[in-house]
Amino acid sequence: MSTDANSLFTATDIAGMTLRNRFAVAPMTRVSANEDGTATGTMTRYYERFARGGFGLVVTEGIYTDQAFAQGYLNQPGITDEDQTQAWRPVVEAVHGHGARFFAQLMHAGAISQGNRFRNVAAGPSAVQPKGHQMEFYRGKGAYPMPAAMTEEQIADAIEGFAASAARAVAAGFDGVEIHGANGYLIDQFLTDYANRRGDRWGGDTRRRTTLVRSVFEAVRARVGAEVPVGVRISQGKVNDFTHKWAGGDQDAEAIFGTLAEVEASYVHVTEHKAWEPAFEGGRGSLVALARRYAPHVPLIANGGVGDVARAREVMAAGADIVALGKVALANPDFPNRVRAEREVAAFDPAILGPIANIKPGELAA
Ligand SMILES: Cc1cc2nc3c(=O)[nH]c(=O)nc-3n(C[C@H](O)[C@H](O)[C@H](O)COP(=O)(O)O)c2cc1C
């Protein structure tokens, strides 16, 4: 192993839970669950490969949290009832069998749901048509329909969905949960000026638009207790608006990361297209650096193009504790082991982005 990579193989911890190194698998939706939202054997083998391949932390794909408006995609896994919860158990056991930690990413799609087996209508903070187009490789087509503006009761139900799902994730054996506050889904919709036009306590200036993420975090923390790691993922860009930037720049970063510091999030996970680049035009600091500044004592995961040792070290120097890899991990489920052995890293092939190819028992590539 080159000395450059040494620091990435030191242990660290999140809320007192040790991770064997600084490599995490980023959450990636794979639309490969059964229609009823239960995890499959193929998913078990898919997640197991990352653990076997040396990652210290694996974060699941976004898992839907309730049977009202949370589901975003057909064949997305859920954790809303006993069957879905039990179906995660073998997945968790397989990952643990190779010494990795496993966090469940809890996701509510809100206004950009494009496949919900329970209902046909999407709901979000306000009746504002989402930008962009549905993703065809997740079985969507055309513009997003106009969402319904959530009622106070529906917001309360969504918060309860996160809390109940977090408790189920712990019951299934997950080591922690990640609240999906990024990429244009419900919590990010509430954070976003143009998507959240509410005049009540859930909307207003940036601080007020953090009310939902704060409420979800507090509800989850109250339900799972003080010991379980509960992190939050944050981005500027969205799956339906890649280039979005926070209009308030630095001040928005202060409001959002400051809120996560105040509630004592176990970690913050920031994602940008290129994690090392300045967060705002003409600005200097990356989102990683801003998270470090405004949530100075919170463990920090950085994601976005950091699947090489030099970039990983660069974002660690800017304040990250852990790097999360998406596409590079898909192409190299054994990325940490490859780096350690100084083996070549495989190039990413976009064909991998479809549902998980059938992986037969005993056929672990990594
Ligand atoms: C197939 C695919 C599915 C994704 N699904 C999710 C998801 O469920 N939750 C999430 O927070 N991010 C999701 N992302 C975003 C990744 O976590 C990550 O932010 C992105 O791929 C950039 O990191 P990279 O440059 O290492 O690939 C997905 C990305 C890909 C490629």
Side-chain angles (χ1 to χ4, degrees):
M1 176 168 57
S2 78
T3 49
D4 278 1
N6 279 342
S7 58
L8 295 164
F9 286 94
T10 57
T12 186
D13 78 282
I14 289 179
M17 180 174 287
T18 305
L19 310 184
R20 63 185 167 190
N21 61 39
R22 309 305 181 98
F23 292 104
V25 178
M28 281 179 283
T29 291
R30 305 311 316 276
V31 291
S32 300
N34 293 313
E35 207 176 308
D36 66 2
T38 49
T40 65
T42 289
M43 287 167 64
T44 300
R45 294 183 282 280
Y46 163 79
Y47 282 110
E48 180 176 10
R49 280 200 302 189
F50 297 120
R52 212 167 88 127
F55 282 92
L57 172 65
V58 182
V59 184
T60 65
E61 61 205 287
I63 305 174
Y64 64 83
T65 49
D66 64 47
Q67 300 186 359
F69 299 104
Q71 186 177 356
Y73 305 104
L74 298 176
N75 298 93
Q76 180 186 1
I79 191 153
T80 67
D81 62 20
E82 191 54 22
D83 284 352
Q84 291 176 345
T85 306
Q86 291 307 323
W88 279 108
R89 281 192 159 277
V91 193
V92 171
E93 278 161 24
V95 169
H96 284 165
H98 297 282
R101 300 291 189 183
F102 200 19
F103 289 1
Q105 189 188 52
L106 303 181
M107 165 177 156
H108 189 305
I112 62 167
S113 171
Q114 58 177 59
N116 182 331
R117 73 190 170 97
F118 305 102
R119 54 181 39 74
N120 254 332
V121 185
S126 304
V128 171
Q129 179 157 18
K131 294 186 179 181
H133 288 92
Q134 300 188 36
M135 288 172 280
E136 295 201 5
F137 62 94
Y138 290 155
R139 306 186 173 97
K141 209 171 171 47
Y144 292 95
M146 178 66 85
M150 292 171 85
T151 63
E152 185 73 28
E153 194 186 354
Q154 287 169 338
I155 295 173
D157 288 349
I159 295 169
E160 169 58 24
F162 276 98
S165 299
R168 286 189 206 101
V170 173
F174 282 105
D175 300 297
V177 295
E178 176 168 297
I179 296 167
H180 196 347
N183 299 6
Y185 298 106
L186 183 75
I187 291 175
D188 187 40
Q189 288 155 27
F190 273 80
L191 289 172
T192 299
D193 46 13
Y194 67 76
N196 180 351
R197 314 296 304 168
R198 299 180 75 97
D200 59 9
R201 70 195 175 100
W202 305 102
D205 65 13
T206 311
R207 265 279 167 184
R208 291 176 65 92
R209 296 196 309 273
T210 64
T211 309
L212 183 66
V213 71
R214 177 189 288 272
S215 302
V216 168
F217 183 88
E218 287 173 347
V220 167
R221 173 58 76 214
R223 197 69 55 90
V224 300
E227 306 293 316
V228 176
V230 180
V232 181
R233 193 173 217 226
I234 294 291
S235 68
Q236 297 192 91
K238 309 173 193 314
V239 292
N240 61 323
D241 182 9
F242 297 116
T243 56
H244 179 73
K245 298 283 180 195
W246 296 335
D250 234 72
Q251 283 180 343
D252 283 2
E254 182 173 17
I256 293 166
F257 296 128
T259 297
L260 300 181
E262 271 166 39
V263 298
E264 297 182 26
S266 306
Y267 69 92
V268 173
H269 183 172
V270 291
T271 170
E272 290 258 87
H273 182 52
K274 293 178 178 168
W276 58 92
E277 288 194 338
F280 310 114
E281 194 132 347
R284 277 179 302 136
S286 62
L287 209 59
V288 175
L290 291 168
R292 179 43 72 235
R293 183 183 314 156
Y294 295 121
H297 307 298
V298 180
L300 181 56
I301 304 180
N303 166 253
V306 292
D308 76 63
V309 168
R311 288 297 184 199
R313 283 171 50 88
E314 191 175 342
V315 293
M316 304 268 290
D321 301 294
I322 294 165
V323 289
L325 314 186
K327 293 181 287 294
V328 166
L330 287 183
N332 302 271
D334 57 347
F335 183 82
N337 288 350
R338 284 185 192 223
V339 170
R340 204 203 300 259
E342 296 187 36
R343 275 191 290 133
E344 204 181 322
V345 171
F348 172 70
D349 171 2
I352 292 178
L353 290 181
I356 305 168
N358 189 25
I359 309 168
K360 296 195 190 70
E363 194 193 300
L364 291 174

